[in-house]
Amino acid sequence: MTLLRPDDLDADEVAYRIFQVTRDRTPWRIEDVLREGRFSDDPARAERAWRVASAGYYAEQAGLVAAATLAVETEDAPLRFSLALATADEARHADAFYRYAKLVGGEPADAQETMQPLDDGLTSLPYMGRALVHTMLEGLAADEFILLGEVFAGDPLGRLYHHVRRDEIRHIAIGLNFLARETRTPGAARSGRSTPRSGTTSASD
């Protein structure tokens, strides 16, 4: 892994702005989320929430591994820095789903058999394929989280999906920016070649 020059970090204004937005976001704490709303008294609903949160624990781990390996293998400074923040987000998400599942149903249900093929499939792809599929999965998850937030509305799990989705939207912006730059200048984001500065677009939270 090559350590990157500091002048590469803000060589692309849009990519650097996305990093800044991700870096400066307002953090949320699972302890606060668990105090929002009311846990269900319905055993069937509580079990469903436990299983969904258990699956979330493993899915977010897969996202963590994908983001971390993409960060290590790129020589594009803003992409590496942004993916490092995204990796930390995924760790926070996995821990949050673990904490919720443990609170409502005990140790998380074992969903590794379902999720491991996803992780194996991602890690077997070439770099561009991993970046594309990872970004697509983040987009699908963001859409799914809208529905799950509605299904578990009033429960802390519903609020958790709200917070996690906001993080995922930023991750999608990181991936789309990389893919756009890579399309414009193939190989730039992996080789460390900077694309021309552009201030025509800005990222927003």
Side-chain angles (χ1 to χ4, degrees):
M1 180 182 71
T2 303
L3 298 181
L4 307 176
R5 294 171 52 85
D7 55 354
D8 289 337
L9 186 57
D10 61 353
D12 185 283
E13 293 182 9
V14 176
Y16 187 60
R17 176 58 180 154
I18 292 173
F19 162 68
Q20 289 178 307
V21 168
T22 307
R23 180 198 65 199
D24 298 338
R25 73 202 185 287
T26 302
W28 54 271
R29 300 172 65 251
I30 183 56
E31 291 81 5
D32 297 330
V33 176
L34 292 175
R35 288 194 289 266
E36 299 178 25
R38 179 174 178 274
F39 292 96
S40 177
D41 295 326
D42 179 0
R45 182 178 172 84
E47 181 178 0
R48 185 161 60 248
W50 172 68
R51 292 190 179 280
V52 169
S54 298
Y57 167 73
Y58 287 99
E60 296 297 328
Q61 269 199 81
L64 183 160
V65 172
T69 55
L70 288 169
V72 167
E73 294 176 22
T74 188
E75 294 185 8
D76 177 85
L79 178 63
R80 179 181 289 178
F81 278 52
S82 294
L83 286 172
L85 294 173
T87 301
D89 285 343
E90 303 292 8
R92 181 184 299 106
H93 300 169
D95 175 64
F97 284 119
Y98 166 71
R99 295 275 300 280
Y100 178 91
K102 191 172 181 179
L103 191 61
V104 299
E107 288 297 318
D110 187 2
Q112 189 167 357
E113 185 176 341
T114 303
M115 295 300 174
Q116 190 63 48
L118 171 63
D119 183 60
D120 294 341
L122 273 173
T123 54
S124 69
L125 292 172
Y127 193 90
M128 275 297 292
R130 258 182 294 147
L132 176 60
V133 173
H134 179 59
T135 302
M136 291 174 61
L137 289 174
E138 297 273 39
L140 292 172
D143 289 342
E144 181 185 25
F145 292 168
I146 295 175
L147 299 176
L148 290 171
E150 293 176 354
V151 169
F152 295 104
D155 186 286
L157 184 58
R159 293 300 300 164
L160 176 55
Y161 277 116
H162 168 77
H163 292 296
V164 170
R165 184 176 185 275
R166 291 187 64 188
D167 291 341
E168 302 294 5
I169 293 299
R170 283 186 284 269
H171 301 171
I172 294 166
I174 294 168
L176 290 178
N177 175 261
F178 162 70
L179 293 169
R181 289 189 291 126
E182 185 69 7
T183 300
R184 201 163 60 233
T185 310
R190 282 165 292 161
S191 68
R193 297 198 309 273
S194 301
T195 54
R197 285 181 179 271
S198 170
T200 58
T201 309
S202 65
S204 60
D205 190 359

